[in-house]
Amino acid sequence: MDIYAIDTSGIKDIIDTFSSCIWTMQYFDVNDFELIVPGTERNVDLLTAGTMLVRASDVSNGVYKNVMVVENIELDFDVEKGWQMKVTGGGLKKIVGRRIVWTQTNLSGTVEDGIRRVITENIISPSVPARVIPGFTMTARKGFPDTFEAQLFGDNIAEWLVEVCQQYGYGWDVYIANGGFVFDLYQGTDRTYNQSTVTPVVFSAEQSCPVCRSGKRHFLRRDLEAVIDFGVKGCQFSQFFSSKRHCVTPSYVYLFCCLNSCAVL
């Protein structure tokens, strides 16, 4: 797997040698990553604070998903490996956290329209031109029906988004397309027992893996990565991944369940 150093116009460099690469995608919250590479002069010059990174597998037709931004760099010497760099940072979703709700704002109506208004008035077209994030746009309105009322003033927009999305079950993302940043609000698939629209995801009680009936939501991302709610008590799958903090692919879910005598329907 290669990792690209990019800007909004495209790929600028390639990183193809590393000893560890952890890309953590979040449904509600902001993504984060950790990358360990040789501490070469090239890498020191390339991986500076603010550098944007993306995995080759997350690039398609000029769209860059799951982009990470370098924030911290640690350079250490290992007797066996020599100089090593540990690079960490957050996802592109963090760019939204660079803005607060500048003026008192009263929201009433659908949650989606409220979120779009906050993004528009504080990032895309704020009353103070200096507060614009250049090239920031939104995907088309989805028509989600949930309604709410809220009053905002001085709230960090990323923190507010996390709170609202957790309450209403929305996911959100910021990615790069067409030379700019794109904000997207979306809904995963609720696969708990509290709904009857789709087949729920369950585990085999016969094999000492209790069925999760807590009412907490387990979502499937649109890109088919399973985002597991680690707050569920007593579930073998949940306990196994509780320290991993990663999204996992469906094949990984299937493999885990096979090895542990669980069943996914």
Side-chain angles (χ1 to χ4, degrees):
M1 176 180 67
D2 290 336
I3 296 172
Y4 300 139
I6 65 171
D7 60 20
T8 54
S9 64
I11 298 170
K12 297 303 179 184
D13 212 329
I14 299 177
I15 301 169
D16 57 7
T17 303
F18 48 86
S19 57
S20 177
C21 175
I22 302 173
W23 236 248
T24 307
M25 277 72 74
Q26 304 283 359
Y27 183 81
F28 301 118
D29 215 328
V30 175
N31 305 336
D32 60 77
F33 83 103
E34 178 186 283
L35 180 67
I36 299 179
V37 299
T40 62
E41 183 176 351
R42 172 181 176 273
N43 285 337
V44 170
D45 291 339
L46 176 63
L47 298 172
T48 57
T51 299
M52 294 191 292
L53 303 175
V54 64
R55 299 176 301 181
S57 58
D58 291 322
V59 179
S60 178
N61 299 321
V63 177
Y64 302 81
K65 296 287 190 74
N66 303 321
V67 175
M68 302 292 181
V69 181
V70 174
E71 296 176 349
N72 304 300
I73 304 102
E74 298 179 18
L75 189 62
D76 292 309
F77 183 78
D78 183 274
V79 175
E80 296 182 355
K81 299 179 180 179
W83 286 103
Q84 297 288 298
M85 286 179 63
K86 182 170 78 171
V87 183
T88 58
L92 198 58
K93 295 163 78 171
K94 267 195 171 183
I95 194 173
V96 176
R98 297 177 184 175
R99 296 292 183 268
I100 63 171
V101 179
W102 187 251
T103 59
Q104 180 170 308
T105 303
N106 297 309
L107 303 175
S108 180
T110 68
V111 178
E112 181 183 13
D113 286 342
I115 290 173
R116 294 179 68 87
R117 178 183 169 190
V118 168
I119 295 294
T120 299
E121 294 182 357
N122 296 278
I123 294 178
I124 299 176
S125 301
S127 57
V128 180
R131 302 187 70 244
V132 172
I133 295 181
F136 202 99
T137 61
M138 291 185 286
T139 57
R141 187 177 182 276
K142 306 293 178 60
F144 300 142
D146 301 288
T147 60
F148 77 150
E149 292 185 358
Q151 184 178 86
L152 306 176
F153 177 63
D155 301 71
N156 179 284
I157 296 176
E159 294 176 359
W160 176 74
L161 275 171
V162 171
E163 180 181 340
V164 171
C165 288
Q166 285 177 334
Q167 182 176 354
Y168 293 95
Y170 297 141
W172 62 290
D173 196 11
V174 177
Y175 58 88
I176 293 175
N178 301 318
F181 305 110
V182 182
F183 175 87
D184 186 29
L185 185 71
Y186 60 93
Q187 263 188 327
T189 301
D190 184 352
R191 294 189 177 275
T192 67
Y193 274 96
N194 296 333
Q195 51 78 39
S196 58
T197 304
V198 297
T199 303
V201 175
V202 300
F203 300 95
S204 173
E206 289 76 13
Q207 298 296 330
S208 300
C209 187
V211 176
C212 300
R213 298 179 182 271
S214 69
K216 291 177 179 286
R217 294 180 176 179
H218 295 230
F219 292 98
L220 279 182
R221 286 172 54 104
R222 293 167 305 164
D223 55 8
L224 299 183
E225 289 179 323
V227 182
I228 306 302
D229 184 341
F230 299 129
V232 178
K233 302 296 184 181
C235 173
Q236 185 180 1
F237 187 83
S238 174
Q239 291 170 351
F240 179 80
F241 285 104
S242 61
S243 63
K244 304 299 181 183
R245 299 176 59 243
H246 300 302
C247 299
V248 292
T249 63
S251 58
Y252 196 1
V253 174
Y254 179 75
L255 175 61
F256 174 83
C257 292
C258 287
L259 292 174
N260 291 275
S261 300
C262 301
V264 178
L265 302 182

